[in-house]
Amino acid sequence: MAVRPILIAGDPRLSTPATPVTTFDDELAAFVEDLFETNTAANGAGLAANQVGDARAVFVYDLVDDSVRHRGCVVNPVLETSALPETMPDPDDDLEGCLSVPGEWFPTGRAHWSRVTGVDVTGRPVTVEATGYLARCLQHETDHLAGRLYLERLIGRNQRAARRMIKDHQWTRPGRSWLPE
């Protein structure tokens, strides 16, 4: 198992849709363990494969929501959600961050409910249905695998602030990453 470098916004691998997984072997299982280890080292809630430069459609999650720990992996996820809010996100209750946008948080509108279906590392069917923080995480990670950062979901002043932040950090060139310790 190994902690892998996490790509930072601006790297084209983060905006490239993932490739479906077709081989379920020991290498995939070891890679998923690396994702869990990297996510833990980074104090993340979830981590998608493309965030560490791997094009496969797989993500892990490990978080506590309402005093319950949720931990798992979904390969080839398909997302369903309730309706997305059409109002400005609450600056206190809707904050979202991302390991590929280190140290930054922005209010982000997400559906209240989500369900992800896919398979586990052995190819067995898996379904994860959630509300609250876990629902937000499932949406966030499937967005990554579609080649979309949460910054693209921002609206109004939050979108403008994110653009300024990207420019200030000079996150417009590929190849930047950070290694969780």
Side-chain angles (χ1 to χ4, degrees):
M1 292 189 300
V3 173
R4 296 181 179 222
I6 298 172
L7 299 177
I8 294 176
D11 192 294
R13 291 171 285 183
L14 293 171
S15 59
T16 303
T19 304
V21 174
T22 57
T23 303
F24 298 86
D25 57 10
D26 290 343
E27 191 280 327
L28 176 64
F31 173 67
V32 167
E33 287 305 314
D34 286 355
L35 286 178
F36 275 118
E37 189 169 334
T38 303
N39 185 60
T40 298
N43 295 315
L47 186 65
N50 60 344
Q51 289 182 272
V52 296
D54 191 294
R56 289 178 282 189
V58 57
F59 72 82
V60 299
Y61 59 93
D62 189 353
L63 58 92
V64 176
D65 188 16
D66 287 331
S67 302
V68 176
R69 184 176 185 200
H70 302 275
R71 186 177 193 275
C73 168
V74 183
V75 179
N76 300 333
V78 176
L79 176 70
E80 299 172 68
T81 68
S82 57
L84 290 171
E86 295 182 18
T87 58
M88 192 70 156
D90 185 299
D92 296 321
D93 293 335
D94 293 329
L95 277 180
E96 192 165 318
C98 178
L99 296 176
S100 290
V101 187
E104 302 293 337
W105 296 81
F106 292 97
T108 308
R110 294 287 186 181
H112 173 71
W113 170 88
S114 65
R115 175 174 42 223
V116 171
T117 56
V119 294
D120 66 14
V121 295
T122 65
R124 287 189 217 128
V126 62
T127 299
V128 184
E129 188 170 337
T131 58
Y133 186 38
L134 179 56
R136 177 178 293 276
C137 179
L138 297 175
Q139 293 167 73
H140 182 106
E141 299 310 326
T142 54
D143 268 358
H144 272 300
L145 297 178
R148 187 175 192 179
L149 288 175
Y150 87 104
L151 300 176
E152 296 172 48
R153 292 202 175 270
L154 302 179
I155 58 174
R157 66 181 172 272
N158 299 318
Q159 184 181 60
R160 290 186 297 278
R163 285 185 185 145
R164 278 191 306 276
M165 177 272 304
I166 292 284
K167 186 177 177 182
D168 291 347
H169 286 306
Q170 299 178 5
W171 288 348
T172 55
R173 60 183 192 270
R176 297 193 64 190
S177 66
W178 69 282
L179 186 63
E181 306 216 12

